[in-house]
Amino acid sequence: MIPDAIKKFIDAFSRLPSIGPRLATRLAFYLANLNKNDLKNLEMALHQLATINRCEKCFFVSENRLCFVCSNPDRNQKTIAVVEKETDLLSIEQTGKFKGHYFILGEVSPRKTLDVAQRLRLQYLKERILKELGGRAKEIIVALNLDATGDYITQIIIQEFKNLAEKITRLGRGIPTGGEIEFADSETLASALERRV
Amino acid sequence: MIPDAIKKFIDAFSRLPSIGPRLATRLAFYLANLNKNDLKNLEMALHQLATINRCEKCFFVSENRLCFVCSNPDRNQKTIAVVEKETDLLSIEQTGKFKGHYFILGEVSPRKTLDVAQRLRLQYLKERILKELGGRAKEIIVALNLDATGDYITQIIIQEFKNLAEKITRLGRGIPTGGEIEFADSETLASALERRV
């Protein structure tokens, strides 16, 4: 009934976050109607994502060895905000209230614990604190979502880093419990940063 | 701040229908975190949309010269449903109530009239009725959205085809005025087909 190329597109794209079969179907026919040039542009845009590097220090996306934060000498590397996702980092940057460094943990699935890649990243953060900060950060801000999974992962991080930081804080409960950092407005996020506990 | 590849992806994909900057940003980072194989699969799925053909008769997507409807001898080619989009055709097919042929007009922008491509398609339909149906279709069902733009385009089609069909009908007002065909449930759409006026 529907050509294979359309079916395959719907199948592949409906698995992406917030897409689903209905939007994937709509996109498939929309894109099949585009001229070849516009389609080629989208294809190139997708293709170039494969070339993206990660910052050696914090794992944020970067064109260079270090990202725009880690390569900035004005940022305080003794204060480290651990975030789940790149978009969480961007949301915190937008508040203009944070002058420390970041550490990207990677997305945590609901009701899941840390996976192997995330454990390796935390191990790497420990080594960094030992080597670069003389074994003790000034502060680690665990900026994870304030839901059950975030609470659980935060407790793990507090346990593992309690001897590696003068203090370990979380974002202030200015963000409603259960809310996601990615969707918080800049002001709420700023006050949560200021009133961190 | 953000690598060029990410910016370009957000810029290109945020222009697609129902995507927008926030979802495009989320997708960009999600995709940048995928392994190369999964990313390659999505790229191929997108690439293959460029290979899609259109049915010579009705302009629906097809791997062959004729689509699954136009190539089916059990379908009645004297009854023609004019629809905007491929997804409208699929919605009508899902009701199982329509045994005629289709004609894809192409998406109509709100408060716009027909563009050159759409006028050419209608011209092509006229010639098809003259050549293949002896100058007269049994029925043309103008199955456009029941909003102001759909009403306007319907009037144009009625004027242009009044001598080329025994009757020209619209979908019954079982669909709420202002509603879009794509989002109607199968039952409502079936009763709108049965009670067409």
Side-chain angles (χ1 to χ4, degrees):
Chain A
M1 189 153 150
I2 302 177
D4 254 7
I6 298 265
K7 273 190 222 149
K8 278 182 189 157
F9 179 94
I10 295 170
D11 185 52
F13 278 76
S14 61
R15 290 181 208 163
L16 300 182
S18 304
I19 300 270
R22 187 179 279 275
L23 180 50
T25 305
R26 204 177 157 199
L27 283 176
F29 287 113
Y30 177 86
L31 295 169
N33 279 306
L34 278 187
N35 66 52
K36 307 264 186 247
N37 259 350
D38 288 347
L39 199 58
K40 191 78 200 160
N41 280 346
L42 290 167
E43 207 186 309
M44 281 307 296
L46 187 59
H47 180 75
Q48 286 179 346
L49 292 183
T51 67
I52 284 176
N53 293 320
R54 308 216 151 259
C55 173
E56 275 183 24
K57 261 192 169 172
C58 75
F59 298 105
F60 188 64
V61 292
S62 177
E63 275 150 340
N64 307 306
R65 207 170 57 82
L66 294 179
C67 73
F68 74 104
V69 175
C70 292
S71 62
N72 179 350
D74 294 338
R75 305 286 297 227
N76 176 6
Q77 65 168 341
K78 292 191 167 177
T79 299
I80 302 163
V82 177
V83 297
E84 248 187 75
K85 305 189 291 283
E86 290 88 348
T87 43
D88 295 337
L89 181 155
L90 293 175
S91 296
I92 292 176
E93 278 302 289
Q94 259 164 24
T95 70
K97 298 276 185 181
F98 182 66
K99 297 299 171 202
H101 277 218
Y102 292 96
F103 190 79
I104 311 269
L105 184 60
E107 203 153 352
V108 181
S109 309
R111 290 177 300 280
K112 290 271 168 64
T113 187
L114 296 169
D115 63 24
V116 178
Q118 290 165 335
R119 292 204 168 270
L120 281 173
R121 286 198 182 183
L122 286 182
Q123 189 54 42
Y124 178 82
L125 178 59
K126 279 186 194 169
E127 285 162 19
R128 207 181 106 198
I129 293 173
L130 287 169
K131 270 191 284 186
E132 293 176 15
L133 306 181
R136 215 161 175 83
K138 189 156 164 271
E139 181 177 357
I140 294 175
I141 305 170
V142 189
L144 302 182
N145 292 329
L146 296 174
D147 55 15
T149 309
D151 287 346
Y152 173 65
I153 305 294
T154 299
Q155 289 314 316
I156 294 177
I157 294 174
I158 289 173
Q159 277 306 308
E160 303 226 349
F161 286 83
K162 62 185 172 195
N163 298 320
L164 295 164
E166 283 170 39
K167 57 179 173 178
I168 300 181
T169 58
R170 304 190 58 174
L171 292 180
R173 291 258 162 190
I175 296 169
T177 297
E180 294 200 7
I181 289 173
E182 188 177 347
F183 302 112
D185 63 273
S186 203
E187 207 171 2
T188 308
L189 196 51
S191 86
L193 260 175
E194 274 165 8
R195 303 189 300 106
R196 62 186 182 263
V197 289
Chain B
M1 190 152 145
I2 302 178
D4 254 5
I6 298 265
K7 274 190 222 148
K8 278 181 189 157
F9 178 94
I10 295 170
D11 184 51
F13 278 76
S14 61
R15 290 181 209 163
L16 300 182
S18 305
I19 299 270
R22 187 179 278 277
L23 180 50
T25 305
R26 203 176 158 199
L27 283 175
F29 287 113
Y30 177 86
L31 294 168
N33 279 306
L34 278 186
N35 67 52
K36 306 263 185 246
N37 258 349
D38 288 348
L39 200 58
K40 190 79 200 160
N41 280 345
L42 290 168
E43 206 186 309
M44 281 308 296
L46 187 59
H47 179 75
Q48 287 178 346
L49 291 183
T51 66
I52 283 176
N53 293 320
R54 308 216 150 260
C55 173
E56 275 183 23
K57 260 190 168 172
C58 74
F59 298 104
F60 188 64
V61 293
S62 176
E63 276 149 338
N64 307 309
R65 207 169 58 80
L66 295 179
C67 74
F68 74 103
V69 175
C70 292
S71 63
N72 180 351
D74 295 338
R75 305 286 298 229
N76 176 6
Q77 64 168 341
K78 293 191 166 177
T79 299
I80 302 164
V82 177
V83 297
E84 247 187 77
K85 305 189 290 285
E86 289 88 347
T87 43
D88 295 338
L89 181 156
L90 293 176
S91 295
I92 294 177
E93 278 301 289
Q94 260 164 24
T95 70
K97 297 275 185 179
F98 182 65
K99 296 300 170 204
H101 277 219
Y102 293 96
F103 189 79
I104 312 269
L105 183 61
E107 203 154 350
V108 181
S109 309
R111 291 177 299 281
K112 290 271 168 64
T113 187
L114 296 170
D115 63 24
V116 178
Q118 289 165 335
R119 292 204 168 270
L120 282 173
R121 283 197 184 185
L122 286 182
Q123 189 54 41
Y124 179 83
L125 178 58
K126 278 186 195 170
E127 284 162 21
R128 207 182 106 197
I129 292 173
L130 287 170
K131 269 191 284 187
E132 293 177 16
L133 304 180
R136 215 163 175 80
K138 189 156 166 267
E139 181 176 357
I140 294 175
I141 306 170
V142 189
L144 302 182
N145 291 331
L146 296 174
D147 54 15
T149 308
D151 286 346
Y152 172 66
I153 305 292
T154 299
Q155 290 313 316
I156 294 178
I157 294 175
I158 289 173
Q159 277 306 309
E160 303 226 351
F161 286 83
K162 62 186 172 193
N163 298 321
L164 293 166
E166 284 170 39
K167 58 180 173 178
I168 300 181
T169 58
R170 305 190 58 175
L171 292 180
R173 290 260 162 187
I175 296 170
T177 297
E180 294 201 6
I181 290 174
E182 189 177 345
F183 302 111
D185 63 272
S186 203
E187 206 171 3
T188 307
L189 196 50
S191 88
L193 259 173
E194 275 164 8
R195 303 189 300 108
R196 62 184 181 265
V197 289

